[in-house]
């Protein structure tokens, strides 16, 4: 210990105040633990400050503007202008409101909030480095620790972030103006969401993707709907290309791209957003010092209770492995807090929904047809298109479908995939169905409101049962 | 070939029994009818004879385990061809192993069917040997364990392995009921419904035969008994016949397809105050035999046995000892609860001098040549039966469902008897028609056999009025608990010389303190007092018994 160090003791130390960390801290406090929550940067983590929330604010605004400009068929006409300053100000106020709320919740729960970088000093202690100049460090000893340090954008060696022309998603969400031309490298969910939003806000977006289609994790017929919509909006796609080199000045960036066959091209834009994936943030905590090893992908290995190989240390959220989703982190945070408190909890959810806020939205939960086959089920598949659905027509948004996967023997719903407006909301019911082992009949014979998009779920269930009313 | 013995219904419609002691161990060669184990039910301890001749290969329960009727408890290797004598051997097991009822045979023959609900039968044995040992199965993959979060949480709480249940359930969803059942909790554990009971206030177990004085060795404190009706496990119980039932649409459809009224399906799950039926409940109800069997397997499963232990909080606090509440102790407890919570008890205390009776008894013992000594108890029984005839409500019971009070025309007197295992109540039937000598003989024999654990469940049923002689151990007055659903119980204090006032003089006289408890729903205090007065008259003036 350095002279002048302060040493304190805490029952539970949570490292990182993102969705996983703050939820774990609050649940632990509810369960009577004495909790210290240390955050290096901003309470709320990437999700609230630089990810889910600001991007959804941006997407909502872009949708509004787009719809207002494209509702002539409903007799709505007018000149729509977007004040990007105001939009970003509103976005920031939403973020502030949420992060302020989280901070307040933590205080009310009696959690000790500390600002600083936590670095392991052993199996039961960390040093908290206060990053402001001259603020020093202090040691905190803990009985249990939860590592919830999240993830950060992966950097491409060929296109290193420069905080000016080459941006990660966080910086893209903090742009001061809408770029006239925007290059997006990577057609994953972040790339596709922001491509759609910026295109709707008036940018000319080009998406460069090494693979031959967007959103490679999803089935082709689902991504096709989103791909088509994006193309209709004017997004340009360069599939099978990767960036090889670039030149940048104060105003533009030019990227050389090359296809697998050796075709080359150069594209110029105001900014390039690199969104090729996220990787766990582990180095900053110096896991070695606590005796923690990382797996090949850099994640901290945990068991079904979130416990690492070191008994006193748990890990949750992005740092603990796939799926890198805020709601997964929140769930794990609750479970781990309960486990530490001695409650009979475990990380065993069957249904982890995933959503892409494209246009239309994609949402999935549980198994796909091939997952079901791999798990030795004989899948029964039902689908319903939005094309004939009253509510979809009245929304003037009929592209998309709902697909349910069930076990043909028991007719228990195993999973669902949706590509539809509001798919992110619709999937909630299906997550419940999967967790409760509901059957197709349960879903089909539960009355759904008319006219709503949720009727497509009933229709898909009935289709699987071979008795759909509205489909041929 | 491999043979399995299921725990037969060794009593009258018991649901489970405790393996008190194994008399064989794996590797032993046993003859047919050789006693394998002592099994304690809620009524008695019985010997379990072997239906097979062969070698014991495995015992599926530990001593002290509670095992459901129909659970496999012993595996044998016997001579002969398994394919054709499997089911007959099973039936044999059922019929031969004790005084049994036909339900066992049902359970057994269901068991012997190759397609019985055990998909995960030991693959190393040919399929025709209906295997029920679920311990050897391959684990169910996580993706095939269908259980809602609340069920998973409960399973973790109770330490139940969902994979084990899943393999028995097929791919059907696991309910909370399934988990509780696997944990050994819940519906199947106690067939206590209409059990009768009575008791006494003081500590039992302190005394054995030696504690009873020669003078009063016939009766001991306390009582217990049994008029068990509901005997089958829940799943095969009677139709529930509710007005309202909660169930998922698929469950309702399943019931419709099976031609079952969902309101008839028994369930212990209540949601929002309304019974909730799961698909498993429907299937269990639809296929009672196989459900009974399946449930039994859960009981036999070593994993669930272990988890049952896990449910009970370990004795963590200091040196406290934690004793399982089960077997006779639990039956007594349940009966007491039932009696005391259902029947408003009121006790009436009195005493009578019995100088004449002391002489009469002496006379009897001098003149009657028996190999036992006549105690006061037969005289009390005689006095009581005479008084009962004049006070019919004292020999009645309440049939609440019918809204009728049943005035019995027979006088069967239960004798509360303390044994090492707890309180039991052997019954002397038609006591009113028997003389003092016969009553003395029967009482002595019943009590002796009760204490030696030789009494059969039959001999502890059907009493209409109970006598408890706590005075044999000591004490004057008590507030006995009625042997429900009887209407009254008479407690006898210690007979000894006490100061009495006679003609203004204090004299020492033998007196008998009486403690009568009645069910105040049926009997008012005045009747209780009059009845007691009559009993007193017969006891202090024994000649009156000649009338």
């Amino acid at each position: 210990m350095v002279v002048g160090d302060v040493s304190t003791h805490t029952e539970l130390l949570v490292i990182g105040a993102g969705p996983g960390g703050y939820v774990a801290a609050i649940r632990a406090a509810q369960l009577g633990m004495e909790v210290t929550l240390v955050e290096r940067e901003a309470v709320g983590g990437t999700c609230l400050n630089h990810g889910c929330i600001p991007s959804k604010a941006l997407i909502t605004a872009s949708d509004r503007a787009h719809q207002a400009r494209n509702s002539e068929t409903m007799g709505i006409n007018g000149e729509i202008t977007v004040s990007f300053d105001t939009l970003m100000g509103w976005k920031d106020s939403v973020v502030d409101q949420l992060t302020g709320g989280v901070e307040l919740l933590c205080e009310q729960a009696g959690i000790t909030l500390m600002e600083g970088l936590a670095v392991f000093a052993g199996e039961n202690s960390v040093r908290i480095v206060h990053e402001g100049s001259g603020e020093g460090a202090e040691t905190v000893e803990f009985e249990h620790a939860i590592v919830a340090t999240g993830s950060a954008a992966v950097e491409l060696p060929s296109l290193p972030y420069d905080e000016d022309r080459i941006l990660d998603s966080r910086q893209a969400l903090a742009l001061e103006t809408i770029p006239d031309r925007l290059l997006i490298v990577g057609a994953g969910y972040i790339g596709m969401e922001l491509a759609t939003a910026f295109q709707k806000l008036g940018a000319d977006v080009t998406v460069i993707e090494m693979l031959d289609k967007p959103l490679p994790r999803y089935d082709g017929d689902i991504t096709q709907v989103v791909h088509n919509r994006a193309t209709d909006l004017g997004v340009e796609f360069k599939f099978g290309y990767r960036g090889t080199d670039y030149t940048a000045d104060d105003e533009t960036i030019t990227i050389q791209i090359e296809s697998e066959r050796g075709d080359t091209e150069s594209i110029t834009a105001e900014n390039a957003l690199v969104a090729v994936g996220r990787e766990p943030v582990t180095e900053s905590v110096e896991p070695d010092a606590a005796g923690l090893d990382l797996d090949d992908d850099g994640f901290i290995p945990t068991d079904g209770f979130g416990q690492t190989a070191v008994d006193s240390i748990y890990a949750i959220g992005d740092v603990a492995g796939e799926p890198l989703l805020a709601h997964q982190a929140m769930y794990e945070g609750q479970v781990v807090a309960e486990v530490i408190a001695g409650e009979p909890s475990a990380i065993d959810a069957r249904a982890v929904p995933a959503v892409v806020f494209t246009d239309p939205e994609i949402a999935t939960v549980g198994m796909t047809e091939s997952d079901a086959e791999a798990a030795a089920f004989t899948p029964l598949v039902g689908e319903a298109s939005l094309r004939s659905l009253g509510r979809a027509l009245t929304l003037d948004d009929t592209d998309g479908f709902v697909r349910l996967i069930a076990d043909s023997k028991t007719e228990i719903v195993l999973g669902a995939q949706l590509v539809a407006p509001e798919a992110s909301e619709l999937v909630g019911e299906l997550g419940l169905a999967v967790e409760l082992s509901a059957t197709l009949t349960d879903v089909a014979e539960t009355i759904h409101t008319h006219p709503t998009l949720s009727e497509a779920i009933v229709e898909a269930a009935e289709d699987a049962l071979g008795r759909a009313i509205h489909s041929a | 070939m491999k043979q399995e013995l299921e725990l037969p219904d060794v009593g009258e419609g018991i649901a489970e029994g405790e393996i008190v002691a194994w008399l064989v161990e794996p590797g032993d060669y046993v003859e047919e009818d050789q006693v394998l184990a002592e099994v304690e039910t809620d009524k008695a301890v019985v010997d379990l004879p072997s239906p097979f001749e062969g070698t014991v290969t495995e015992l599926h329960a530990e001593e002290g385990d509670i095992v459901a009727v129909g659970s496999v408890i012993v595996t044998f290797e016997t001579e002969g061809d398994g394919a054709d004598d499997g089911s007959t051997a099973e039936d044999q097991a059922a019929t031969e192993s004790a005084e049994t009822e036909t339900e066992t045979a049902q359970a057994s023959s269901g068991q012997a069917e190759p397609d019985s609900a055990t998909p995960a039968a030991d693959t190393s044995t040919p399929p025709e040997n209906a295997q029920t040992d679920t311990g050897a199965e391959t684990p169910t993959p996580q993706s095939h364990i269908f259980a809602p979060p609340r069920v998973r949480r409960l399973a973790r709480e109770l330490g139940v392995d969902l994979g084990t249940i899943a393999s028995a359930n097929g791919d059907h969803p696991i309910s909370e009921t399934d988990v509780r059942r696997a944990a050994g909790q819940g519906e199947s554990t106690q067939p206590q419904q209409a059990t009768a009971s009575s008791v006494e206030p003081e500590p039992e177990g302190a005394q054995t035969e030696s504690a009873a004085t020669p003078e009063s060795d016939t009766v001991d404190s306390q009582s217990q008994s049994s008029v068990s009706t509901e005997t089958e496990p829940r799943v095969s119980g009677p139709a529930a016949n509710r007005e309202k039932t909660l169930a998922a649409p698929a469950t309702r459809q399943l019931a419709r397809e099976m031609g079952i009224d969902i309101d008839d399906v028994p369930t212990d799950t209540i949601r929002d105050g309304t019974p909730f039926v799961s698909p498993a409940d429907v299937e269990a109800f639809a296929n009672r035999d196989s459900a009974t069997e399946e449930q039994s397997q859960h009981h036999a499963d070593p994993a669930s046995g272990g988890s049952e232990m896990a449910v009970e909080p370990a004795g963590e606090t200091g040196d406290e000892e934690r004793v399982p509440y089960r077997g006779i102790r639990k039956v007594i407890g349940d009966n007491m609860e039932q009696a005391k919570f259902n029947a408003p008890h009121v006790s009436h205390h009195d005493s009578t001098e019995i100088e004449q009776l002391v002489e009469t008894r002496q006379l009897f013992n001098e003149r009657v040549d028996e190999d036992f000594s006549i105690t006061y108890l037969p005289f009390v029984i005689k006095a009581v039966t005479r008084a009962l005839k004049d006070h019919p409500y004292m020999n009645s019971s309440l049939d609440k469902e019918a809204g009728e009070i049943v005035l019995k025309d027979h006088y069967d007197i239960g004798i509360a008897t303390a044994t090492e295992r707890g309180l039991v109540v052997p019954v002397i039937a038609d006591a009113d028609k028997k003389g003092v000598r016969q009553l003395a003989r029967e009482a002595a024999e019943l009590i002796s056999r009760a204490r030696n654990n030789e009494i059969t469940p039959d001999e502890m049923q059907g009493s209409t009025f109970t006598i408890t002689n706590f005075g044999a151990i000591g004490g004057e007055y008590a507030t006995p608990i009625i042997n429900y659903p009887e209407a009254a119980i008479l407690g006898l204090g210690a007979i000894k010389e006490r100061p009495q006032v006679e003609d203004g003089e204090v004299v020492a006289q033998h007196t008998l303190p009486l403690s009568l408890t009645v069910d105040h729903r049926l009997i008012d205090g005045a009747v209780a007092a009059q009845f007691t007065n009559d009993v007193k008259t017969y006891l202090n003036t024994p000649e009156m018994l000649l009338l």
Side-chain angles (χ1 to χ4, degrees):
Chain A
M1 209 190 286
V2 182
V3 176
D5 254 16
V6 188
S7 178
T8 50
H9 178 272
T10 189
E11 189 176 358
L12 173 64
L13 177 74
V14 182
I15 305 172
Y22 84 73
V23 167
I26 291 174
R27 172 53 53 87
Q30 286 173 344
L31 293 170
M33 273 184 270
E34 185 265 303
V35 184
T36 300
L37 176 60
V38 55
E39 169 59 45
R40 177 185 194 177
E41 202 173 331
V43 170
T46 299
C47 174
L48 266 64
N49 293 284
H50 313 295
C52 334
I53 295 299
S55 70
K56 260 79 264 176
L58 193 70
I59 288 165
T60 301
S62 70
D63 281 343
R64 292 270 174 97
H66 176 73
Q67 282 167 7
R69 284 170 181 144
N70 293 278
S71 298
E72 294 89 351
T73 48
M74 298 181 194
I76 296 169
N77 300 287
E79 190 65 22
I80 302 298
T81 59
V82 175
S83 161
F84 199 64
D85 278 351
T86 311
L87 166 51
M88 288 312 209
W90 167 72
K91 178 210 73 177
D92 290 342
S93 72
V94 170
V95 169
D96 288 347
Q97 191 180 339
L98 283 173
T99 55
V102 169
E103 216 161 315
L104 190 65
L105 285 175
C106 290
E107 283 166 14
Q108 285 170 345
I111 294 163
T112 306
L113 278 169
M114 291 182 77
E115 205 175 315
L117 173 67
V119 181
F120 280 111
E123 290 190 1
N124 288 94
S125 64
V126 289
R127 284 176 55 75
I128 309 286
V129 181
H130 301 293
E131 292 176 287
S133 61
E135 299 210 16
E138 60 189 287
T139 299
V140 176
E141 291 182 353
F142 58 81
E143 285 168 45
H144 313 279
I146 299 175
V147 182
T149 44
S151 62
V154 170
E155 189 170 56
L156 283 179
S158 56
L159 289 168
Y161 299 121
D162 64 5
E163 297 188 19
D164 181 32
R165 297 299 113 198
I166 305 176
L167 311 175
D168 63 12
S169 56
R170 167 180 181 167
Q171 291 149 359
L173 289 168
L175 279 169
E176 288 171 6
T177 55
I178 302 170
D180 288 337
R181 287 184 54 104
L182 176 64
L183 273 175
I184 295 180
V185 180
Y189 75 98
I190 295 173
M192 288 304 292
E193 286 182 4
L194 293 183
T196 310
F198 277 105
Q199 185 74 31
K200 284 179 176 175
L201 287 170
D204 282 331
V205 178
T206 301
V207 177
I208 300 159
E209 167 61 50
M210 272 170 57
L211 301 172
D212 61 355
K213 62 168 195 153
L215 301 166
R217 290 186 179 199
Y218 296 92
D219 288 346
D221 55 353
I222 289 172
T223 56
Q224 192 62 52
V225 176
V226 171
H227 185 187
N228 290 349
R229 178 70 57 89
T231 306
D232 289 349
L233 290 168
V235 176
E236 199 173 323
F237 288 95
K238 290 286 180 186
F239 291 115
Y241 280 88
R242 60 191 183 88
T244 51
D245 201 2
Y246 74 99
T247 54
D249 58 30
D250 284 351
E251 300 198 335
T252 60
I253 176 167
T254 300
I255 297 182
Q256 273 75 49
I257 60 172
E258 186 181 313
S259 74
E260 283 173 22
R261 288 176 302 175
D263 301 336
T264 58
E265 212 173 310
S266 69
I267 302 174
T268 301
E270 275 73 44
N271 296 101
L273 160 63
V274 177
V276 292
R278 296 184 66 80
E279 58 190 359
V281 174
T282 51
E283 279 178 27
S284 61
V285 298
E286 293 183 16
D288 296 356
L292 286 173
D293 290 327
L294 305 179
D295 69 14
D296 292 344
D297 297 317
F299 296 112
I300 300 176
T302 55
D303 64 13
F305 304 96
Q307 194 169 30
T308 68
V310 178
D311 285 351
S312 55
I313 300 173
Y314 296 74
I316 58 170
D318 290 359
V319 80
E322 298 280 355
L324 309 191
L325 295 168
H327 44 267
Q328 176 74 13
M330 294 167 127
Y331 167 75
E332 291 175 3
Q334 294 203 26
V335 169
V336 167
E338 290 169 6
V339 166
I340 294 172
E343 301 229 329
S345 277
I347 299 168
D348 65 356
R350 190 176 183 88
V352 184
V355 171
V356 186
F357 287 85
T358 43
D359 184 3
E361 294 172 352
I362 294 172
T364 60
V365 68
M367 295 183 182
T368 62
E369 187 174 358
S370 52
D371 291 339
E373 277 165 3
F377 290 102
T378 307
L380 187 58
V381 179
E383 279 181 13
S385 163
L386 300 191
R387 219 159 285 284
S388 54
L389 197 67
R391 184 57 181 140
L393 285 162
T394 61
L395 286 169
D396 193 24
D397 202 351
T398 57
D399 291 343
F401 59 88
V402 172
R403 175 182 294 148
L404 297 190
I405 312 298
D407 168 30
S408 61
K409 187 176 87 179
T410 58
E411 296 181 357
I412 290 172
V413 178
L414 300 173
Q417 296 90 47
L418 305 85
V419 53
E422 305 298 341
S424 56
E425 304 292 338
L426 294 172
V427 76
E429 144 178 18
L430 292 162
L432 186 65
V434 172
E435 282 296 351
L436 297 187
S437 306
T439 65
L440 291 167
T441 307
D442 289 333
V443 174
E445 296 188 10
T446 297
I447 297 177
H448 285 60
T449 318
H450 178 77
T452 61
L453 296 171
S454 70
E455 290 173 282
I457 293 169
V458 173
E459 189 78 0
E462 300 213 303
D463 179 52
L465 292 168
R467 60 182 207 207
I469 299 284
H470 302 93
S471 313
Chain B
M1 66 163 292
K2 200 165 183 169
Q3 293 278 21
E4 291 178 336
L5 173 63
E6 298 166 355
L7 180 64
D9 185 347
V10 291
E12 287 190 34
I14 58 149
E16 60 186 13
E18 176 178 340
I19 306 294
V20 178
W22 284 111
L23 305 179
V24 295
E25 55 186 47
D28 286 0
Y29 189 84
V30 296
E31 304 283 338
E32 200 171 312
D33 290 335
Q34 182 176 336
V35 176
L36 300 171
E38 287 177 9
V39 178
E40 177 175 328
T41 70
D42 51 11
K43 295 171 192 156
V45 176
V46 297
D47 289 340
L48 184 66
S50 174
F52 311 113
E53 180 177 341
T55 306
V56 174
T57 55
E58 193 176 355
L59 302 179
H60 297 274
E62 301 281 328
E63 289 183 0
D65 280 0
I66 309 281
V67 178
V69 167
S71 304
V72 173
I73 53 173
V74 186
T75 307
F76 300 87
E77 194 61 43
T78 58
E79 301 291 318
D81 177 15
D84 58 10
D85 69 8
S87 66
T88 51
E90 296 282 350
D91 289 343
Q92 218 180 348
T95 46
E96 286 195 7
S97 49
E99 4 5 9
T100 128
E101 305 270 282
T102 49
E103 291 119 275
T104 318
Q106 288 169 15
S108 293
S109 52
Q111 173 62 54
E113 275 166 41
D115 64 349
S116 57
T118 46
D122 187 345
T123 47
S124 65
T125 55
E128 63 264 28
N129 286 355
Q131 250 294 13
T132 51
D133 180 6
T134 52
E137 63 207 29
T138 51
T140 307
Q142 201 66 32
S143 60
H144 285 260
I145 298 175
F146 290 102
R150 63 178 191 282
V151 173
R152 296 200 297 264
R153 179 169 273 259
L154 182 70
R156 289 193 294 269
E157 239 166 54
L158 302 183
V160 170
D161 175 20
L162 287 175
T164 312
I165 304 178
S167 62
N169 261 25
D171 277 344
H172 291 289
I174 300 168
S175 69
E176 287 159 290
T177 312
D178 295 335
V179 172
R180 290 192 188 282
R181 201 180 287 155
Q185 291 188 350
E187 48 284 329
S188 63
T189 51
Q190 273 307 322
Q192 82 241 57
Q193 287 73 3
T195 321
S197 99
S198 88
V199 108
E200 267 302 339
E202 79 243 22
E204 97 283 38
Q207 77 296 347
T208 58
E209 289 106 314
S210 61
T213 63
E215 183 183 47
S216 54
D217 63 343
T218 42
V219 189
D220 262 344
S221 67
Q222 296 157 348
S223 56
Q224 169 292 301
S225 107
S226 36
V227 184
S228 164
T229 54
E230 165 89 355
T231 56
E232 291 177 339
R234 176 196 71 94
V235 286
S236 53
N241 197 15
R242 286 180 301 270
E243 288 188 357
K244 198 176 171 193
T245 301
L246 281 179
T251 313
R252 292 183 189 281
Q253 177 159 334
L254 179 68
R256 284 197 295 272
E257 282 168 3
M258 292 182 154
I260 287 172
D261 184 345
I262 195 99
D263 292 330
D264 283 346
V265 179
T267 178
D268 278 3
T269 310
I270 304 287
R271 285 202 198 158
D272 294 337
T274 306
F276 175 85
V277 169
S278 70
D281 294 332
V282 173
E283 289 181 356
F285 183 64
N287 193 354
R288 301 179 188 203
D289 291 348
S290 65
T292 308
E293 169 203 332
E294 196 174 306
Q295 180 189 12
S296 308
Q297 286 162 12
H298 292 161
H299 276 277
D301 188 333
S304 51
S307 55
E308 181 179 18
M309 303 310 290
V311 177
E312 294 167 11
E316 288 159 6
T317 49
D319 294 329
E320 291 176 358
E321 188 187 359
R322 299 185 77 98
V323 177
Y325 180 52
R326 64 187 185 200
I328 286 182
R329 185 69 260 154
K330 183 165 190 311
V331 171
I332 293 171
D334 290 343
N335 291 342
M336 294 307 151
E337 254 176 43
Q338 188 189 26
K340 197 85 190 200
F341 290 161
N342 282 314
H345 281 52
V346 63
S347 292
H348 177 84
H349 295 132
D350 204 340
S351 75
T352 179
E353 64 84 6
I354 51 162
E355 285 300 319
Q356 251 185 278
L357 182 62
V358 171
E359 282 174 27
T360 307
R361 173 176 167 262
Q362 256 172 9
L363 192 71
F364 275 39
N365 271 332
E366 283 162 18
R367 300 284 170 86
V368 178
D369 185 22
E370 289 279 6
D371 53 358
F372 58 88
S373 116
I374 295 174
T375 67
Y376 290 101
L377 182 70
F379 294 98
V380 175
I381 295 172
K382 204 70 209 160
V384 162
T385 50
R386 288 296 290 270
L388 286 175
K389 294 202 165 181
D390 292 333
H391 301 280
Y393 280 79
M394 297 295 299
N395 195 49
S396 73
S397 66
L398 180 59
D399 182 348
K400 221 173 173 184
E401 263 181 39
E404 290 167 350
I405 297 167
V406 184
L407 305 178
K408 312 276 173 64
D409 62 350
H410 48 102
Y411 301 86
D412 305 325
I413 305 301
I415 310 296
T417 305
T419 71
E420 284 180 19
R421 290 170 184 280
L423 184 57
V424 298
V425 187
V427 178
I428 299 177
D430 296 321
D432 59 319
K433 295 177 184 141
K434 293 170 181 169
V436 166
R437 178 157 62 172
Q438 192 182 349
L439 290 172
R441 188 187 307 121
E442 283 191 26
E445 196 205 322
L446 281 173
I447 290 162
S448 150
R449 291 202 296 115
R451 289 189 176 138
N452 293 332
N453 266 313
E454 292 163 357
I455 197 125
T456 68
D458 287 352
E459 294 172 303
M460 295 189 287
Q461 294 198 349
S463 57
T464 59
F465 184 97
T466 296
I467 295 171
T468 173
N469 183 14
F470 58 84
I473 300 160
E476 307 215 335
Y477 297 102
T479 54
I481 296 178
I482 289 167
N483 188 7
Y484 196 81
E486 291 165 22
I489 183 169
L490 180 65
L492 308 179
I495 294 171
K496 60 181 182 186
E497 286 190 311
R498 294 183 176 84
Q500 294 280 314
V501 179
E502 199 173 73
D503 300 333
E505 300 268 322
V506 175
V507 294
Q509 290 184 330
H510 283 92
T511 56
L512 170 60
L514 297 171
S515 299
L516 177 75
T517 296
V518 298
D519 180 346
H520 213 331
R521 295 176 304 181
L522 306 176
I523 296 157
D524 290 335
V527 175
Q530 281 158 8
F531 173 81
T532 308
N533 287 343
D534 287 358
V535 171
K536 279 171 60 181
T537 302
Y538 289 121
L539 290 175
N540 68 16
T541 320
E543 301 98 297
M544 293 293 289
L545 291 170
L546 299 171
L547 276 175

